[in-house]
Each structure stands twice: as C-alpha cells, then as structure tokens.
Amino acid sequence: MNTHMTRRDFLKKSSLVVAAAALPGKLNIFNASLVLAHAGTSFKPHAFLEIATDDTITVWMGQTNLGQGTHTGIPMIIADELDAPWEKIQVRMALAAEPFKSPVWHVQVTGGSSSIRHRWDMLREVGAAARGMLVETASEKWGIPPKKCVTKEGKVIHPDGRSLTYGQLAKAAGKRPVPENPPLKSPKDYRIIGTQRNRLDIPDKVMGKTVYGIDFTLPGMCIAVVARPPRYGAVSRSYNAEAAMAVKGVIKVVPLENRIAVCAETTYAAMQGRNALEIKWSDGSHPDLNDDTLDALYKAHLEKSGAVAQKSGDVKKALAGAAQTIEQSYKLPYISHAQAEPINCTAHVEKERCRLWIPTQAQTATQLTASKLTGLPVEKVEVMTTPAGGGFGLRGEQDPVEDSVLLSKTLNRPVKVIQSREDEFANDCFRPASQCRIKAGLDKGGRLVAWSHKVAAPSVMSRKMPQYVKNNIDSDAVSGIRDMPYSLPNLLVNYVMVNLPITVGWWRSVGYSVNVFTVESFMDEMAHAAGKDPIQFRLDHMKKGSRPYNILSLLAEKGGWGSPVSKGRARGVAVTSCFESFAAHMAEVSVSKKGKITVHKMVCALDCGTAVYPDAIRAQAEAGVVMGLSVAFYEKVSFANGGVKTANYDDYPILTMSEVPDIEVHIARNNLKAGGIGEPVFPSVAPAVANAVFRATGIRLRELPFKRELLIRG
Amino acid sequence: MIVLNVNGTKRQVDAAPGNPLLWVLRDNLGITSVKYTCGIAECGMCTVLIDGQARRSCVVNVEDVLESEITTIEGLPENHPVKVAWIEKQVPQCGYCQPGIMLQTVDFLSREPNPTEEQINNEMDHMICRCGTHPRIKKAIQMAAEMTAKQGG
C-alpha cells in the first residue's frame, strides 16, 4: 500500500472522481473531477472512487484495515454497481477526511461493525452514479439514448457491439453532473457482491511487506516510550534521568503531565532508557483496590436499586403471580484487548501542519486531538491510517496521539511513540467487569411472564461520550438485555453505575459481550425450569418468522439439534441480536471428571443481511468462536495494590490451537441491508458452551472465565 | 560493528552484542516483518529461523547468532509452499502474527513433513493469534505439507 500518495498525485492522475458527503439526513454524491482540476482551490475533497484514463480504478478507503476484510468488501460493492472488472480495482488508504465519516455517526471511525452497515446505500450509489456518468458520456458520443447502452467489465457497449472503456470515457464523464438517484442493481444481477474473492491485503501480509504503524519510519524520526503510573492516581516522586540518558541512543527524557517519556534513536534504546529511569511512584489513590475488594464492591453495588433503564408492564406484579420464579447472579471480569500490535503513533508537528501515521480506529478524534494540542485547524492535521495489528475497540484511544504530538513539538522532529506490552496491559481500557442479578417467572404453561435484570457495571460512555449518559444510564451497559430478542410482557432493567479509577473502553461487541452471556445463560435456566427444550423455549418467546427466530431455526437444522450426540457429549445453544445482524451458536462439549471442558464442535448461524463478502464473513465467524472460547475459558485481568496486576501474556492466557474446535459457519441468504459482522459473531459463543456444559453435567457456570473446579465430579 | 547473515546477505550492524536479535533486525536493519509483541518469548510473533530452527528473536542475543544463517519471512521465496498455502487458505486477518507462525511452520514441517492434527496442535499451542485464524492456519499447514511432499521435499 502506498501510504505516501498525496492529494497532488491524486489530482494529477485522476479523470473521473466521484466523492460522497454524508450530510446529516442527506447523502450527497458529487463529481469532484472539476474541483480537483482547478489547482489552488481550497476545497479538497477526498474521493471514494477514481477512474483513470489508463482504466485503473481506485477505491479510496476511509475505514481502518484491521484484517476484517472491509478493504476488499467495500471495493466489491462499488465495483459491482460500477460493472468494473475486479482485476482493475486498486485500493488505497485515504487521509482522514469528511467524506469518510459515517453517514450515521458523522465521525470517521472503524468500530461498531459499521464499515459496511452504515454505508450500504452510499457505496452502491457511488458505483451506480459513476456508471451512470460513463453511460451518459458514451451514449452522447454515439447519439443514442443511454438506456440502449449496456455496461460490462469496465466497458460501455453499443447495441451494435462497439464499446468504449471506462478509461476512454473517464475524462469526458468527469465533466458531467452526477445523476440523481442512480438506479441500483437488483440483487439478482450482482456479479461481485456475494462471490468468492481473495482478500487484497493478504499477499502483502504473507510476504511480510505490510507496514503497520509500529513499523512506520520517517527520516529524522526518533522513538519514544512513555512510562505511566503503575497504580491509579499515583504520581512520580523521583526518577533517574541521568541513568536513562546514559543508555546509548537515548536522546532526551521528557517529563509530561504525570508520565515520563524517553526518546531515543531506536526502540530498544527507548525501552532500556525507560527501565533505567527507576521511577519511584506514590501509592496512588486506591491502594486497597484488588480482585477481592473489587468483587465485594460490585456485590455491594448490586444491593442498590440503580436507575431504571427499561421498563415494560409490571414486573413486580407478574413475578408475584408467577407459578415459578428463579433468581440467580452472574459475574464477568475485566478483560483486555490484548491486540497483537502494541499501541503506537507517529507524529510530525511542523509550523503549518501536523502529520500523523497511526493504526487508529478513530480518525476524526485523532484529528481533533492533534488540532487541540497544536493549535492548528483540523484541516491542517493530516491523519494517515496505517494497517493495524488488531484493535477490537482499543485503537480509538487518544493517549498515543497526545504523547506523539507533544513530543514532536518538544523535539521538533518526527516522533513515534510505542507502548511496551507491559504498558499495554497496565494502561488498557478494559472491557468492564460486570455483576448482575436476574429474577424471572414462569406461568403454569412454562411461559416467561416477567424478567427483572439488575446490572452493576462501570460506564464506558461516561468516559467516552458523557453527553449520551442520561439519568445515570449508560445504554451500552444494558445492551443485550433491554433489546433481547424475546418478547416479554413484563421486563425491568436496572443499571447501577460502578465508578472506579479503572479505565474502561469499548471492546468487541461492547455491552453485548457481557449481557448476552447472562441473558442467554439465564434463558437456558428458565427453559430447564419450564421443562422445555432450550431451542423450542427460545422460539416460543420470539415472533414466528422474525430474523432471530429464523436464525435460531437455521442453527437447529444445520447443527442437527435433534440428532443423537456421542456418549458423554452434550449440546448447548445461544443467540444474539446486535449491530443489525443475528447470530446463533451451538456448542458440542464433553466434560472430564476432573472438570476439563472440551469443545468438540461449534456451529455458527449468521444472518447479516446481504452477505457481501462470504469468505471474510466466515473468517470473522471462525474468529468470533476462537475469541469467544478464549474469553470463556481464560481471559481475566487481575488487580492488586491499586493498579493492574496482569503484566504480559504469561498472566493473560489466550486460547491456542489445540482448544480450537471444528467450526461450521452457515450464512443465511437474503437480500436485506448489510448488517454488522465482527461483533455479532462473538457474544453467543460463551453462553452456548456454558449451556452445553449444563446439559452434560447438570452444573451451571455463572461466571467467566469458567471455573474448572466447579466441574470436578466423582 | 558486528556482521549478521540475514536472508543470505551479510549485513553490518552497529549494535551492542547483548542486544536482542529482534531489535537489531527491526531497529538497525529495518526488517520489520519480525514483530514485537510480548518481549518475553510468550507469543511467538518475533519468530525467525536460525540455521533453519525457529527461535524467538526477542530472547536471542545477537552475539549468539553471528555465525548463523538468519531467515525472516522475506527470505522465503514467494512460491514457498507455506506462503502459497497461506494465501490459498486466506489465513491472515490483521496478519501481524503470521510471519512468525509461518516461520514456525517451516521449521515444523522440516521436522514433521507429514504431521497429524495432534502434532499440529501441539506445535502451534505455543503461538498466539489474537484474531483467531487458527482453523485456517491448520488447513494451510496441511496444504503446505502436501505441496512439499509433491515437490519431493
């Protein structure tokens, strides 16, 4: 990928340039060709699509490449509507810019499984609009009505068989207005969407050519490692700058607000220098904070009434009148993103501009942060997004941006900030821990009549987007409960906000990563109490023919729910409805007498609307199972003495090859709006396993990660 | 100055003999396909081949490999069965861990040209892939083994 492509290069090359701007409530596709032809104009739109006279077609990306496949999936959508030959498609990462903002959220961000979900119409319209302009150009040339022309493989074809390539037409097409409401293809005419393609970024990744943020380098650049407090609220009492400076290659020690940076010629020197600082930190604001005190604190919070996040019907009355009620508590830990590539950012602050190279998931936030720190207007902040070695929600955080910008200003040269792995764990913005209590009632017929669910958890929103926290309710903290895919006549959801110094952040599937485990486990408990089959019980509480109903039915069919299992094995299921998609998992497990759970097979059924890029969807679904099992079996961040105790991967095991089961993925076929993928494929994994374990052993696991000792029998 | 033999080329490096090979490769030689992730030989992402054996370069002192042939992913030909299989099976997601896993695979297949699934599991249990590409890694290893067998080793 050419990360040094500038607007100027872009301007020289392009002939037909179609851009899109998503204004609130309105989608604008405009012809940027003419604007770009007028050098000196201050209006510098970034394109979605550029067709050059040599027939190359460039799709400019605003979404971060985290390996999720959108850098192939997005071009597939545009190319299909354009009727472009797939081999002519090039993909380039664009600088952060207005046209790449989400039409829904109005910020440029790669998260919430939104890359295609938010742009399903926009991307198709961009391709269709460009196609329309090319067709009109050809038809005018030939003196025939546009509708007599057809397009195929990058050509407009005359009824008599003559044809002009898109490249031949591009220059003239660039002078035309953009057609309004260009007709979109009928799904039956798709020839790229829904087909097998090789991911365009894979060859470079396999050859070792991909330049991630951590690999990025500039002439004159130095590297900084920043020491942050190891305990919440701790301040530096003393440190040895001389010792750090004595390390060969160290250039400067720069104290920043409550953190100390060591800048060096090499990464290793910066790390050695940072270790040499021997900083004496104070005890911090919460010296008693540890795993035990946290557990007790969450429990105490569960005794509070909290804020009413959702209320329908009269839960109290319905529970009082129920034939049978059950109450249980569940517990989930803080978990880490533990993404492979450490957090990093390269900044070069100059008088007139600030440039950043960063594997960020949040381009707009990055621009705003740098603008604020440099005093430069946002349009003078150039953010080039590098490929990212994983992210899972962490890469929207602004610490590396702040550090690199401040240090580049101080040193007056480009600075790349890198975190060590220990810094990663100590400063991660964790998926919040959560405890909850659920009470539900069944009528005589075994139907759910009421569900009361109280959650005690920290609020990510309060830190990231406090304006959206109203009446002490963080909607993310209760997602998956108030929008569970079941119709319940009486539902009460209470939220008790837990305020702690532990930094919490967005993590794959956000609130659903917590609450789908508790809802789907408890749903299983209720099915058992009702004496019903777990799938039938769920279906009985869904609208027949609805998407969750259908996906669970598909899972039952494909997973062979009714068929016999091998001796000693059992199956369990769970279902998720989130990010405009519907996923369900069926786990087949056995449990040894010593409590070891083996997951033999996992079947995933997914309805994500139009399946744009099926192989990438399958890859995400496989990955969702692996991460789901990792979280179910192992992942938990520990705290001690007022700070994070977990230091590295040896303290934070991640599931590896031998525990990855056979995974089957079944994608529902339909032509609906494309929904999310990366997040919906995760939440129902852990509860499917817990529910299978219950059917195998009669023992209910109500805590993550699973406690093996609970399963020791005989 | 020390001299390292990397991918068949002798490279002069101004680095202290006790520096980890990982950082000499990345910082001094600009070979960034060798990845830093944990720094404690836990994840396997910095794996390189040293005289054909997979080693974690974050815990190898550069002075210990002065006489050795060091191979990074760039040192394998583009048509190497492992690379071909990794593309064919569409293995990488973020891709960050893959060079290390591929080099581990090269060493593994040299020891076990026809591995069982259990042997693959045991070998790969020491490698971390956070994205969860394991099912495809397994298929790619099997494919690379078959290709190597057909090519006569």
Side-chain angles (χ1 to χ4, degrees), chain B residues 3-31:
Chain B
V3 178
L4 287 178
N5 183 351
V6 185
N7 298 329
T9 307
K10 296 229 186 284
R11 306 277 301 264
Q12 279 209 339
V13 188
D14 178 18
N19 282 7
L21 177 62
L22 164 67
W23 292 112
V24 174
L25 291 172
R26 287 186 60 85
D27 279 341
N28 302 85
L29 294 176
I31 300 175

Side-chain angles (χ1 to χ4, degrees), chain A residues 67 199 205-206 212 214-215 266-268 336-337 340 390 420-421 615 619-620 622-623 635 648 656-658, chain B residues 19-20 23 26-27 32 35-38 40 73 78 83 90 92-96 102 121 125 130-131 136:
Chain A
R199 247 179 52 211
K205 286 177 172 176
V206 167
Y212 298 86
I214 199 169
D215 306 325
T266 65
T267 315
Y268 187 61
S336 172
H337 297 82
S420 71
R421 182 55 53 182
D615 192 51
Q620 284 296 303
E622 291 160 9
E635 297 189 30
N648 207 320
T656 53
M657 187 69 93
S658 64
Chain B
N19 282 7
W23 292 112
R26 287 186 60 85
D27 279 341
T32 55
K35 296 302 187 204
Y36 166 69
T37 297
C38 73
I40 57 168
I73 201 70
E78 294 210 345
K83 284 185 171 172
Q90 294 283 289
Q93 287 190 22
C94 86
Y96 193 85
M102 291 163 71
N121 286 343
D125 255 353
R130 182 52 158 166
C131 292
R136 292 176 185 224

Side-chain angles (χ1 to χ4, degrees), chain A residues 95-122:
Chain A
L95 292 172
E98 281 294 312
F100 299 109
K101 289 184 175 177
S102 156
V104 180
W105 292 335
H106 307 295
V107 289
Q108 191 178 343
V109 64
T110 302
S113 293
S114 67
S115 294
I116 289 176
R117 181 167 71 95
H118 282 182
R119 295 172 178 81
W120 176 232
D121 290 337
M122 177 197 267

Side-chain angles (χ1 to χ4, degrees), chain A residues 146-161:
Chain A
K147 64 177 182 214
K148 296 259 183 193
C149 302
V150 293
T151 51
K152 199 179 170 189
E153 292 289 308
K155 286 178 189 158
V156 183
I157 303 167
H158 190 282
D160 70 8

